[in-house]
């Protein structure tokens, strides 16, 4: 579970305050989206938002070795194609 900025106008309005608080406290970084990392590292990824999408809980099943290697191979092929 973690918190994030709500989507839309309200999130854009409180972004400057969030960045200021981040500098002077131990609050997280509003520019980082940790759920994206969880989604790439797991299968059956699910996310559920609460309280106007300001909080979320995400979950997934850890990939097996063969699933991890196929994801890495796909990323390697995509990076070669971009070059």
């Amino acid at each position: 579970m973690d918190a994030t900025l709500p989507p839309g106008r309200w999130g854009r309005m409180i972004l400057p305050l969030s960045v200021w608080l981040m500098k002077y406290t131990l609050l997280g970084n509003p520019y980082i989206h940790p759920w994206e990392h969880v989604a790439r590292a797991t299968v059956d990824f699910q996310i559920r938002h609460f309280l106007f999408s300001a909080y979320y809980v995400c979950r997934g099943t850890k990939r097996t070795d063969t699933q991890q290697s196929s994801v890495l191979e796909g990323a390697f092929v995509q990076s070669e194609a971009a070059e």
Side-chain angles (χ1 to χ4, degrees):
M1 179 176 175
D2 204 352
T4 186
L5 290 175
R9 183 184 300 169
W10 177 244
R12 289 189 303 272
M13 286 175 44
I14 64 173
L15 178 62
L17 175 64
S18 302
V19 172
W20 181 83
L21 279 173
M22 177 189 68
K23 290 179 182 178
Y24 297 102
T25 65
L26 297 176
L27 294 177
N29 185 340
Y31 298 111
I32 295 175
H33 304 137
W35 59 86
E36 293 172 353
H37 301 283
V38 175
R40 284 194 301 265
T42 62
V43 293
D44 300 327
F45 174 79
Q46 297 176 357
I47 187 167
R48 186 165 178 202
H49 297 275
F50 300 93
L51 194 60
F52 307 110
S53 297
Y55 293 92
Y56 65 91
V57 175
C58 58
R59 70 181 208 131
T61 305
K62 187 175 179 180
R63 295 181 187 277
T64 63
D65 289 338
T66 56
Q67 290 170 327
Q68 287 177 357
S69 63
S70 65
V71 168
L72 292 175
E73 288 170 5
F76 181 71
V77 170
Q78 289 174 355
S79 68
E80 282 186 337
E83 294 175 0

